[in-house]
Amino acid sequence: MFNQSLWKGDTNKFFDAKRYGMVSQLCKYTSAACSTTHRLYWHLCAPTTNSYRRLVPGYEAPINLVYSQRNRSASIRIPLYSKSAKSKRIEYRCPDASCNPYLAFPAML
């Protein structure tokens, strides 16, 4: 799992209290970019055959290429632990523990 948030100074640019999941339009654009380029860097995020064996329905695996605030099977999840502006982020849930972070993180950013 990879958490992303964008800050400018002391302001979290992913927070907007009036929208779905309390995320801004910029956050939606970021999650859409992750969704559309998902196939391009999947080989960096899940490099082994065991990476794909974990993607089974019913085990809270990221099997749906959507973003959601409560759905554990969504590949991009918006956590709702707190309503604070500082805690607003997205979780990209597709990377596997076997990926090389030096290659996967710049590709996801």
Side-chain angles (χ1 to χ4, degrees), residues 3 9 12 14 19 27-28 33 36 45 53 55 58-59 64 69 73 77 85 87 91 94-96 99 103 105 109:
N3 294 311
N12 187 357
F14 279 5
R19 296 187 179 263
C27 182
K28 289 182 181 181
T36 56
C45 297
R53 290 184 184 162
L55 302 176
Y59 293 102
N64 298 323
Q69 60 182 345
S73 64
R77 191 169 159 268
S87 67
E91 295 176 352
C94 295
D96 190 40
C99 74
L103 296 175
F105 288 167
L109 289 175

Side-chain angles (χ1 to χ4, degrees), residues 2-7 12-15 23-38 41 65-67 75-78 88-92 105 107-109:
F2 180 63
N3 294 311
Q4 289 182 353
S5 64
L6 184 64
W7 291 76
N12 187 357
K13 292 297 183 179
F14 279 5
F15 180 76
V23 293
S24 66
Q25 191 68 27
L26 178 66
C27 182
K28 289 182 181 181
Y29 291 152
T30 304
S31 61
C34 287
S35 296
T36 56
T37 59
H38 176 74
Y41 55 82
L65 192 57
V66 296
Y67 75 95
S75 61
I76 299 168
R77 191 169 159 268
I78 304 165
K88 195 48 61 184
R89 64 185 186 280
I90 59 171
E91 295 176 352
Y92 185 66
F105 288 167
M108 286 183 278
L109 289 175

